[in-house]
Amino acid sequence: MGIKFDAVVGTSIGAIIGGLFALEGSAQNLKEKAKEIITSKDFLSLGLNAFRKDGTIFHKLAEKFYMGKLLFKEAQIDVAKTERIFRDLFKDATFEQTKIPFATVALDLATGDDFVFDHGPLMIGTWASAAIPGIFPPVVYDEKILIDGGVTTDLPVRICRRYGVDVVIGVYLGGSILRKEEYKTGFQILKRSAEILNYRVNEPNLIDADVLIHPHLEQIHWADFSRIDECVEEGKHAVLRRQKEIREALSLRNRIKRLFRFLKHP
């Protein structure tokens, strides 16, 4: 659509993809880069496929096994493997070197506050933002213990506005909050409770986006990296479904209206 972005802010997988996009200033080679990473020896050694749901009794047993292991260790994947992957992705690049201003959001376990990275090593800022609790180890940085920012800020719309943008186009990968399932174990109930809490906490950001792009990816598990082409196509269709809304949000008239609204209620 010819849109040039003034800033990119990402959380979790959005931090990784956003960082690669901001570093290059283009999405042209992003899919190829992603495929190169997920077929690499280092990535395959992470064993993330073990977390995919397949509906079998073996998966249910594996899920309980992995949860049990967390009673004795901080994460399923060790620090050395995680660091190697993020270094492969971003080398020694820094936030200051990106072609588009870029920031990521992580959560500080000690204070409960969001921590925004917009300077320093990209590999640290993206790792911290994507450190899924129990899967990847937290990042200890500046006396903070940082994990996946998606716990409290799945879609960092309000943080994006700090960078002076007047139109925020959000991309939300979460599924619908509605679920018709049976919850037969305490673990399933706790998991569902956390999902509802996460949605409620993040809801104000969803409402605050000027345009919300929501690809329909509920049928693809977060640990299934074999369906990149399908994800990219659905992402493209999701943008096209909002094309008129995007053009209206970027129109001069609407931008002036937003400016007056901001001046009245900064």
Side-chain angles (χ1 to χ4, degrees):
M1 293 177 66
I3 297 169
K4 296 193 180 301
F5 295 94
D6 297 311
V8 176
V9 182
T11 301
S12 200
I13 189 64
I16 297 171
I17 301 300
L20 292 169
F21 171 68
L23 195 59
E24 297 294 326
S26 165
Q28 191 172 357
N29 300 314
L30 218 50
K31 186 165 71 168
E32 288 69 27
K33 177 72 174 175
K35 286 183 175 180
E36 179 187 321
I37 290 293
I38 66 167
T39 55
S40 69
K41 184 179 177 182
D42 283 342
F43 187 87
L44 293 172
S45 74
L46 297 178
L48 291 175
N49 279 342
F51 298 96
R52 285 170 55 179
K53 289 182 181 177
D54 58 15
T56 66
I57 186 67
F58 299 106
H59 176 268
K60 292 173 183 176
L61 290 172
E63 190 176 62
K64 290 177 173 60
F65 171 71
Y66 284 121
M67 290 303 295
K69 283 173 68 177
L70 292 181
L71 294 171
F72 307 99
K73 55 192 288 191
E74 68 175 2
Q76 300 293 348
I77 299 168
D78 64 40
V79 172
K81 282 185 178 180
T82 305
E83 183 175 352
R84 198 157 57 237
I85 285 293
F86 282 91
R87 195 168 291 284
D88 284 347
L89 278 166
F90 296 103
K91 307 294 188 287
D92 295 319
T94 66
F95 282 86
E96 291 85 350
Q97 292 173 322
T98 59
K99 293 180 180 175
I100 302 171
F102 175 61
T104 69
V105 187
L107 174 65
D108 182 5
L109 281 179
T111 64
D113 294 330
D114 287 337
F115 184 84
V116 178
F117 281 92
D118 56 11
H119 61 276
L122 265 174
M123 67 156 287
I124 296 296
T126 52
W127 172 1
S129 184
I132 303 170
I135 307 294
F136 292 105
V139 171
V140 179
Y141 178 83
D142 195 24
E143 299 185 353
K144 301 179 187 300
I145 304 171
L146 302 170
I147 63 165
D148 194 317
V151 174
T152 53
T153 311
D154 220 7
L155 191 72
V157 173
R158 294 180 178 182
I159 290 170
C160 190
R161 293 199 190 280
R162 295 181 193 174
Y163 293 88
V165 302
D166 62 335
V167 178
V168 177
I169 300 174
V171 181
Y172 179 62
L173 300 183
S176 168
I177 195 62
L178 299 175
R179 290 278 190 281
K180 289 188 177 180
E181 298 176 7
E182 291 185 9
Y183 304 102
K184 295 181 178 180
T185 68
F187 172 70
Q188 289 172 333
I189 293 168
L190 283 170
K191 191 176 175 184
R192 174 59 174 159
S193 302
E195 182 182 52
I196 294 169
L197 178 60
N198 173 263
Y199 181 84
R200 291 282 181 85
V201 168
N202 280 291
E203 198 172 15
N205 273 303
L206 303 183
I207 295 167
D208 201 31
D210 295 294
V211 181
L212 186 64
I213 295 168
H214 189 186
H216 300 322
L217 300 171
E218 292 88 345
Q219 75 283 9
I220 300 179
H221 190 264
W222 70 265
D224 184 355
F225 295 91
S226 66
R227 298 164 73 178
I228 285 183
D229 291 330
E230 190 178 335
C231 290
V232 170
E233 278 305 304
E234 173 50 27
K236 194 184 297 182
H237 291 309
V239 172
L240 292 174
R241 288 194 293 267
R242 291 283 183 271
Q243 192 167 204
K244 183 180 177 184
E245 195 178 330
I246 292 168
R247 293 198 188 283
E248 285 177 358
L250 292 171
S251 69
L252 181 60
R253 183 186 56 147
N254 281 328
R255 295 179 91 147
I256 291 171
K257 281 170 65 177
R258 267 188 297 273
L259 176 61
F260 276 110
R261 195 162 61 237
F262 173 76
L263 291 173
K264 192 174 179 181
H265 304 287

